[in-house]
Amino acid sequence: MGSLEPGLNTTALHSSRTGFQESSLALEKQDHEPKGGAGWELVDRTSIRDPTHTPERSPPSVYLSCFDMLFTEDSGWTLKVPEGAHVTPMRLEQRKEPEQCPLIDSQGLCLSPEMDYQIEDRSLEQVQTMVVGEVLKDIETACKLLNIPPDPMDWTSGNVQKWVLWTEHLYRLPQVGKSFQELSGKDLCAMMEEEFRHRSPLWGDVLYAHLDIWKSAAWMKERSSPEVSKFIGSDEVWSATEADSSCSGQPIHLWQFLKELLLKPHKYGRCISWLNKEKGIFKIEDSAHVARLWGIRKNRPAMNYDKLSRSIRQYYKKGIIRKPDVSQRLVYQFVHPV
DNA sequence: AAGAAGGAGGTCA
DNA sequence: TGACCTCCTTCTT
């Protein structure tokens, strides 16, 4: 057994996926007994599991993003890998932003240093539960944003298209959506990984792995584990008002959508942010990105900032949004800030 | 070039 | 009918 030291980026795991297939992994902590007994198995490019755990349906997995937490410089955790495994270590300082390296942080997990600190004294099971909780939160956010049900089995073909578009966007995949048209959620869930690869030889497995996460999440929600829900913080759960805007069956308004993005600065702060929250002044930092998100939300692939900004300007007459007193490019103001 | 402003016609629930 | 979407022209930064 070799080992990967703290500070290693999980890119190495992804890029050397074949090196780990059918191999066992083990997690060890300094001054602790090796964790996992028989080791941990790599399930796919996004998760590993403890083979000693045998649930009735799809097994809860520890997502590889978990290692991001474990591999902090001081955590003491070490990932043991088979000797001779093909690994290309990458240090944290070399780490790309999640958006540039979507496969690592497949669900956009953003974990604070405080969380890293807390993890030191948690058992791996707790870490697993926490990571699963984070994934569930991110899926919940995506559901609100896309206005689709959380369980892929409930998706219409339109929902599937939205989800595929979203995943394309998230992972910067070349257009794979065309290969998955006219499929319902049930069709999608019934497909084996081979079928995904057949439809999209290059990216089918990524899409399959991502869908698997959603399926697992739906299964966990169904079981509504109190341990998992414990980690779904109330601050992150969408308020009833927010849920109303996207789950009432009413089409979401652009101004509501913009507010929803602004409510998630940790996720969308790079594309839209408050300049003065009290006055409702915000700036669209990345116009193309915001337009793309809006296009996905409304199922309008041809959406761009020119069109989005035209819609924003329609709000001038309605008294919903206006330009601030000191007009700046890409800066707008809600007339009635909350 | 990118963004701002607004007219005009079209689509869809 | 409202809320965009799309395309357009003109002006500003």
Side-chain angles (χ1 to χ4, degrees):
Chain A
M1 272 262 174
S3 66
L4 303 183
E5 296 168 10
L8 187 83
N9 189 328
T10 51
T11 298
L13 299 175
H14 293 298
S15 63
S16 62
R17 181 189 179 202
T18 52
F20 288 100
Q21 269 183 326
E22 298 174 14
S23 304
S24 65
L25 303 168
L27 290 166
E28 283 185 3
K29 186 169 170 47
Q30 286 164 8
D31 308 323
H32 285 65
E33 288 297 311
K35 190 73 193 172
W40 289 70
E41 292 175 352
L42 189 67
V43 174
D44 53 41
R45 68 169 64 211
T46 57
S47 54
I48 60 172
R49 73 176 172 198
D50 181 352
T52 60
H53 188 89
T54 51
E56 318 82 63
R57 210 175 132 188
S58 61
S61 305
V62 174
Y63 295 95
L64 283 180
S65 302
C66 168
F67 296 136
D68 289 347
M69 293 190 289
L70 299 174
F71 285 125
T72 57
E73 296 293 344
D74 305 317
S75 70
W77 282 99
T78 304
L79 175 67
K80 295 292 181 183
V81 299
E83 203 70 67
H86 177 64
V87 176
T88 308
M90 183 184 287
R91 292 282 165 185
L92 284 176
E93 56 266 29
Q94 292 174 280
R95 186 175 184 154
K96 295 177 182 175
E97 290 300 310
E99 287 224 337
Q100 294 168 291
C101 199
L103 287 179
I104 300 170
D105 203 353
S106 62
Q107 290 296 318
L109 298 182
C110 296
L111 298 157
S112 65
E114 304 88 77
M115 285 179 81
D116 279 334
Y117 178 78
Q118 290 167 3
I119 284 158
E120 285 190 41
D121 293 323
R122 291 183 192 280
S123 70
L124 193 61
E125 286 79 5
Q126 284 175 308
V127 174
Q128 174 180 341
T129 305
M130 187 193 299
V131 172
V132 169
E134 288 293 322
V135 170
L136 288 180
K137 278 195 293 187
D138 287 316
I139 286 177
E140 195 172 331
T141 302
C143 287
K144 298 286 190 292
L145 209 61
L146 302 177
N147 197 22
I148 62 175
D151 190 343
M153 289 292 282
D154 298 333
W155 291 348
T156 63
S157 58
N159 294 154
V160 169
Q161 275 307 107
K162 274 187 183 177
W163 177 81
V164 171
L165 269 173
W166 175 256
T167 308
E168 268 180 29
H169 170 76
L170 201 67
Y171 291 169
R172 296 279 195 275
L173 303 181
Q175 294 196 340
V176 295
K178 285 173 192 161
S179 313
F180 294 87
Q181 282 174 334
E182 308 293 323
L183 289 169
S184 70
K186 283 191 176 68
D187 298 333
L188 206 64
C189 291
M191 281 164 53
M192 305 296 282
E193 188 171 3
E194 275 308 308
E195 175 69 10
F196 275 76
R197 284 213 195 91
H198 177 70
R199 286 171 182 262
S200 176
L202 286 177
W203 306 106
D205 54 346
V206 176
L207 218 56
Y208 178 81
H210 192 55
L211 179 68
D212 196 48
I213 291 171
W214 279 64
K215 283 157 72 178
S216 299
W219 170 78
M220 285 176 202
K221 261 196 162 175
E222 197 178 288
R223 291 182 67 197
S224 59
S225 155
E227 284 167 286
V228 168
S229 58
K230 182 171 70 182
F231 286 100
I232 303 177
S234 55
D235 59 322
E236 291 293 334
V237 174
W238 293 57
S239 71
T241 314
E242 287 170 306
D244 283 346
S245 71
S246 53
C247 293
S248 61
Q250 295 294 314
I252 190 172
H253 291 189
L254 175 56
W255 64 268
Q256 289 175 311
F257 180 78
L258 294 173
K259 280 198 171 178
E260 287 180 0
L261 296 185
L262 286 161
L263 278 165
K264 297 276 175 181
H266 61 288
K267 277 185 101 71
Y268 303 109
R270 272 176 288 176
C271 62
I272 187 169
S273 63
W274 291 113
L275 291 187
N276 186 328
K277 194 174 180 181
E278 287 67 40
K279 291 184 178 173
I281 300 172
F282 63 96
K283 179 171 186 181
I284 295 173
E285 309 280 355
D286 185 340
S287 57
H289 192 170
V290 173
R292 175 99 171 104
L293 292 172
W294 177 234
I296 291 169
R297 179 65 178 80
K298 292 294 294 285
N299 223 356
R300 291 278 177 176
M303 180 54 61
N304 57 28
Y305 181 69
D306 182 42
K307 295 169 188 173
L308 183 145
S309 64
R310 182 71 192 94
S311 293
I312 289 179
R313 290 195 298 276
Q314 303 279 19
Y315 288 143
Y316 294 174
K317 264 198 268 181
K318 296 174 187 169
I320 297 171
I321 288 176
R322 67 182 179 91
K323 286 298 263 185
D325 297 331
V326 183
S327 183
Q328 297 172 67
R329 284 186 160 213
L330 300 169
V331 176
Y332 298 91
Q333 180 173 14
F334 286 106
V335 175
H336 303 293
V338 180

